[in-house]
Amino acid sequence: MPGPTRYDVTREALAEHLDGEPRYRLDQLWDGLYTQLADPADITNLPKKLRQRLDDELPTALTPVTESVDETGDTVKFLWELDGGSRVETVLMLYPDRATVCVSSQAGCAMACGFCATGQAGFTRHLTVGEIVEQVVRAAQRAKQADRRVSNIVFMGMGEPMANLTPVWKSVERIHGDIGLSARHITISTVGLIPGIRALKDLPLPVNLAVSLHAANDELRTEMVPINKRYPIDDLIEACSEYLQVKNRRVSFEWAMIDGVNDRTSDARELAALCRRLQPHAHVNLIPLNPTPGYPTMGTPLKKVYAFRDALEEFGANATVRQNRGTDIDAACGQLAAGQPVTITPKV
Ligand code: SAH
């Protein structure tokens, strides 16, 4: 097993690489890595020889494979190779008022949601703190080239963050405390692992919680999101409600709209009833289903998506339609597969 990478190392462990150097070097190095987002070789207030040594001793975790830019130029997808050969993706999205990085928390995913390309490919391994933080750093370096600063982080890339919560949380602490992003601009999205939601509730920073709900009754949800069998909707809503009470942060529900599956008026009615249990804080994000190779069902036509939103509002819930980003480079929600082959799932 190779040693820790650049952004795995804690401040204390980093000090060991500076043995014999004046004490202020640690601040210079930490600031170089986390504020300037620089490679050790480019931290120019360090002596040249030291820079070179640090560059060798603190290897990067992510080897770039490809970088794809969508037709608008505002969405960039990075494909990385990790130690051991598995691959993950990161997406940078530039909006007029914010710049968001969508990070992966695992290579692959074990949750097996049939409509998601990551789920179709299966689980490979957890990511380390360094592998998660470096995704943010690399994307922020890329944003800087466009004169932009990253303002938001969403754990909505490959993997289930709650199934890898310890490294995910440590990376949240680094992103917040060292890179300097507000915890209120960090969102952790989960398929609905209740123990993870409860653990997150007891952790100090007020991050946003997003829950991939997709269905508002257990029969349909278990078909779409198999883990629902273990963590059914009623218990899930209860856990969200506790999260809200403790954190006073927004909880949102993601709802990938699948034609004829979860876009009926009865779905809107049931979903709104769940949202009302969490009022005033639950918010629904409607995502027209993005195409993935292993799932033959179509997304709901846009007109019907907006009608569903109107129905939700009529039933007393708040909803927005998520702008689709990067479908032409397979960078949109549910499309991240890092080039893995996928298995075909029968139609729901
Ligand atoms: N595992 C976590 C993090 C992934 S977030 C979770 O499930 O929340 C990615 C989001 O995109 C999730 O809400 C997921 O359900 C949604 N999604 C998956 N496949 C999709 C698809 N084909 N079209 C639109 N959204 C999809």
Side-chain angles (χ1 to χ4, degrees), residues 109 115-117 155-157 159-161 189-191 210-212 214 254 256 287-292 322 333-335:
C109 184
F115 54 92
C116 174
F155 283 84
M156 295 186 183
E160 170 50 43
S189 180
T190 178
V191 70
V211 174
S212 297
H214 306 308
E254 290 150 293
I287 320 165
L289 186 82
N290 292 307
T292 59
R322 186 179 283 174
C333 302
Q335 293 188 312

Side-chain angles (χ1 to χ4, degrees), residues 101 103 105 132 152-157 159-173 175 183-193 196-197 199-201 203 205-212 240 243 247 249-254 322:
V101 183
V103 296
S105 56
I132 298 171
N152 296 61
I153 304 294
V154 294
F155 283 84
M156 295 186 183
E160 170 50 43
M162 297 296 194
N164 188 23
L165 190 55
T166 304
V168 163
W169 188 253
K170 283 192 182 140
S171 67
V172 166
E173 290 178 326
I175 293 164
R184 291 167 198 279
H185 290 175
I186 300 175
T187 300
I188 296 185
S189 180
T190 178
V191 70
L193 300 189
I197 297 174
L200 194 65
K201 177 194 74 189
L203 290 166
L205 298 171
V207 298
N208 300 304
L209 176 68
V211 174
S212 297
C240 293
Y243 189 85
K247 294 275 187 187
R249 289 307 297 156
R250 196 164 78 163
V251 170
S252 49
F253 293 138
E254 290 150 293
R322 186 179 283 174

Side-chain angles (χ1 to χ4, degrees), residues 91-203:
V91 185
L92 168 68
M93 290 161 285
L94 302 173
Y95 300 92
D97 60 333
R98 65 191 194 282
T100 301
V101 183
C102 177
V103 296
S104 293
S105 56
Q106 298 177 317
C109 184
M111 296 298 126
C113 304
F115 54 92
C116 174
T118 314
Q120 290 159 16
F123 177 73
T124 310
R125 73 162 168 87
H126 293 302
L127 299 198
T128 66
V129 181
E131 287 164 341
I132 298 171
V133 173
E134 201 178 309
Q135 292 176 63
V136 175
V137 171
R138 298 287 191 105
Q141 288 169 341
R142 180 64 171 70
K144 226 172 173 177
Q145 287 172 16
D147 262 337
R148 298 291 304 269
R149 276 179 79 92
V150 168
S151 56
N152 296 61
I153 304 294
V154 294
F155 283 84
M156 295 186 183
M158 297 172 72
E160 170 50 43
M162 297 296 194
N164 188 23
L165 190 55
T166 304
V168 163
W169 188 253
K170 283 192 182 140
S171 67
V172 166
E173 290 178 326
R174 292 274 175 85
I175 293 164
H176 167 84
D178 299 302
I179 298 180
L181 265 80
S182 159
R184 291 167 198 279
H185 290 175
I186 300 175
T187 300
I188 296 185
S189 180
T190 178
V191 70
L193 300 189
I194 293 176
I197 297 174
R198 296 229 157 97
L200 194 65
K201 177 194 74 189
D202 296 329
L203 290 166

Side-chain angles (χ1 to χ4, degrees), residues 46 63 72 96 140 167-168 179 195 200 218 236 240 263 271 291 295-296 309 340 345:
L46 297 177
T63 305
T72 67
V168 163
I179 298 180
L200 194 65
D218 283 321
L236 180 57
C240 293
D263 58 0
L271 171 56
Y295 191 76
R309 179 203 56 190
Q340 303 286 321
T345 314

